[in-house]
Amino acid sequence: MKPKTILLVAGARPNFMKVAPVLRELSKHPDTFTPKLVHTGQHYDPEMSDIFFDELDLPKPDRFLGVGSGTHAEQTAKVMVAFEKVCLEERPDLVVVVGDVNSTLACALTAKKLWIQVAHVEAGLRSRDWTMPEEINRVVTDAISDLLYTPSRDADQNLLREGIPAERIHFVGNVMIDSLLALLPKTECRDTLARHAVEAGRYATLTLHRPSNVDDADVLAGIIDVLIDLSRELPIIWPVHPRSRKNLEASGMSHRLQAAPGIRMTDPLGYLDMLTLNRNARMIITDSGGLQEEAAVLGVPCITLRENTERPITVECGCNEVVGNRPAAIRAAVASALNKNRQSIRVPDLWDGRAARRIIATIRES
Ligand code: UD1
């Protein structure tokens, strides 16, 4: 029988570590699968894209759509138009999308309307916060996907409640953790800490990029007040996302931060530097989704600057505190993270480095 053509879609930074293990596993079965990697180009700066290809050992994409930035409608529409052409040329048997970015939704919708089977990796996560573009992307992608791969049991329950038939849902674990565990040994002797002039266990890492935290100057100023105070005791390494960089410059806050020696702002970091910093941090302060999960596996206390999380398992396992963005709440969470016993953090079920293998086993059977 002819091998199945499978298009794997990646668009933005958090997608790359999720597609890498799936692509690697598919490539082990050339008689069964012909996988092809499609990069939509949603993220395009070298430090948001190219470095991840190198470090995760991803091959050059078979197709690069080059869509770039834009409003949500522009970006989603540009991906759809470009991806439709790819689907018509390649006639894939299956399209695999990961995560919850605009490229995820755009490619799932395009494939489904061409009657191509769609698999969603990281299905079923719900924040119930409809102001997040990612929540819309998640719900719509799940509603139209044929195979739904979930990272945790709460995700299974969410899908069942939404009427998704149980036979389409597969609890496989967390594919992003496959990449983390595969690359952790490479962080052993990196000089990342020395380059940032910090010592293991004596600094925090910070990421901030959600519109709810960085687009409103007053909210951002409140968060920065707390961070400047904390940085007097505990230095903070902050790889700054392009969206946040623009807003800091526009609101004049960059000058205040430059005057705070404990806050070390850098350009966005590659996967290995970030993993090295995270595993050795005293705490992680973030509004990212993936970092909450990485913190749980690394056993590092995490403070999430959001009102909710689609990853409640990271709270249940004793790692994460979801505190919103009001200064008093962040201060209280920082105090409790400083006192947290790391031994009390448990790794969630099936976050064991073998999620991609489980996914491929079900695709072979389908
Ligand atoms: C996107 C995802 C978000 C994910 C985040 C990780 C959606 C809706 N959002 O948000 O879920 O957590 O990626 O980074 O898909 N920019 C650059 N260079 C780049 C990419 C972006 O300068 O390589 C700037 C552009 O000004 C752009 C802005 O960042 O307008 C936002 O990029 P975009 O892809 O729209 O969303 P993110 O905020 O990165």
Side-chain angles (χ1 to χ4, degrees):
M1 225 171 64
K2 193 172 154 279
K4 281 186 182 174
T5 299
I6 299 189
L7 297 185
L8 258 165
V9 177
R13 180 171 63 176
N15 291 162
F16 304 129
M17 41 291 232
K18 297 172 193 167
V19 296
V22 180
L23 182 59
R24 195 163 307 122
E25 282 301 317
L26 285 169
S27 306
K28 288 182 186 165
H29 307 281
D31 297 341
T32 320
F33 304 121
T34 305
K36 295 195 176 173
L37 181 60
V38 180
H39 185 339
T40 67
Q42 176 173 344
H43 284 174
Y44 44 85
D45 284 349
E47 69 269 22
M48 299 292 284
S49 175
D50 300 359
I51 188 165
F52 292 87
F53 275 73
D54 292 345
E55 294 186 344
L56 293 160
D57 210 13
L58 273 164
K60 204 169 153 282
D62 297 279
R63 299 288 193 132
F64 183 71
L65 310 184
V67 299
S69 302
T71 65
H72 284 273
E74 280 166 352
Q75 194 173 55
T76 310
K78 278 199 258 173
V79 175
M80 289 184 73
V81 172
F83 189 62
E84 186 174 49
K85 290 201 182 86
V86 173
C87 287
L88 291 172
E89 283 164 22
E90 299 282 352
R91 296 260 155 218
D93 299 286
L94 177 70
V95 166
V96 178
V97 296
V98 300
D100 56 13
V101 302
N102 285 344
S103 301
T104 310
L105 167 68
C107 293
L109 202 48
T110 304
K112 192 67 183 176
K113 288 201 166 184
L114 293 171
W115 294 6
I116 298 164
Q117 284 234 322
V118 177
H120 184 205
V121 175
E122 202 186 82
L125 299 184
R126 297 289 181 267
S127 66
R128 320 248 174 246
D129 176 354
W130 289 96
T131 64
M132 286 179 78
E134 294 82 2
E135 183 72 358
I136 302 168
N137 295 343
R138 288 188 281 260
V139 171
V140 179
T141 302
D142 286 342
I144 59 176
S145 290
D146 301 281
L147 294 164
L148 297 105
Y149 295 111
T150 62
S152 50
R153 290 287 186 198
D154 57 283
D156 294 15
Q157 293 308 316
N158 291 335
L159 294 171
L160 290 169
R161 267 199 295 273
E162 288 169 22
I164 308 276
E167 60 272 18
R168 288 199 209 156
I169 304 169
H170 304 273
F171 171 45
V172 292
N174 191 326
V175 85
M176 194 185 64
I177 301 305
D178 291 10
S179 284
L180 183 151
L181 295 175
L183 290 180
L184 206 52
K186 288 203 178 176
T187 65
E188 296 288 348
C189 42
R190 272 182 94 75
D191 62 352
T192 313
L193 268 55
R195 270 190 278 122
H196 291 274
V198 286
E199 288 169 49
R202 291 171 181 245
Y203 65 91
T205 51
L206 167 73
T207 74
L208 274 184
H209 74 286
R210 296 265 161 223
S212 55
N213 287 331
V214 302
D215 284 4
D216 179 317
D218 290 337
V219 170
L220 188 54
I223 297 172
I224 282 171
D225 279 342
V226 181
L227 296 174
I228 289 177
D229 285 349
L230 171 63
S231 72
R232 295 196 180 99
E233 281 171 59
L234 197 65
I236 298 174
I237 313 282
W238 182 5
V240 186
H241 186 283
R243 171 194 282 282
S244 313
R245 169 91 55 197
K246 277 183 202 155
N247 293 348
L248 287 170
E249 278 160 15
S251 62
M253 265 178 270
S254 318
H255 299 294
R256 257 188 86 206
L257 284 160
Q258 274 152 17
I263 299 195
R264 324 259 167 90
M265 295 165 77
T266 75
D267 285 335
L269 295 173
Y271 187 72
L272 291 173
D273 276 342
M274 197 60 190
L275 188 52
T276 309
L277 284 173
N278 287 333
R279 81 177 291 188
N280 291 294
R282 180 76 184 266
M283 70 179 77
I284 294 172
I285 305 173
T286 190
D287 59 9
S288 139
L291 255 177
Q292 298 169 51
E293 298 179 338
E294 291 174 343
V297 173
L298 296 170
V300 176
C302 180
I303 298 173
T304 298
L305 305 191
R306 288 175 40 190
E307 299 297 332
N308 44 59
T309 181
E310 61 288 332
R311 293 159 161 97
I313 186 108
T314 59
V315 177
E316 283 153 32
C317 77
C319 172
N320 189 14
E321 202 176 334
V322 181
V323 299
N325 55 22
R326 280 171 298 278
I330 305 172
R331 278 181 214 281
V334 164
S336 96
L338 283 170
N339 290 318
K340 185 172 259 177
N341 171 10
R342 292 175 62 150
Q343 313 304 324
S344 64
I345 299 174
R346 284 176 294 102
V347 176
D349 286 350
L350 301 193
W351 293 21
D352 59 358
R354 293 200 285 268
R357 243 174 275 177
R358 294 187 195 100
I359 290 172
I360 274 55
T362 70
I363 297 180
R364 284 173 78 118
E365 284 160 18
S366 71

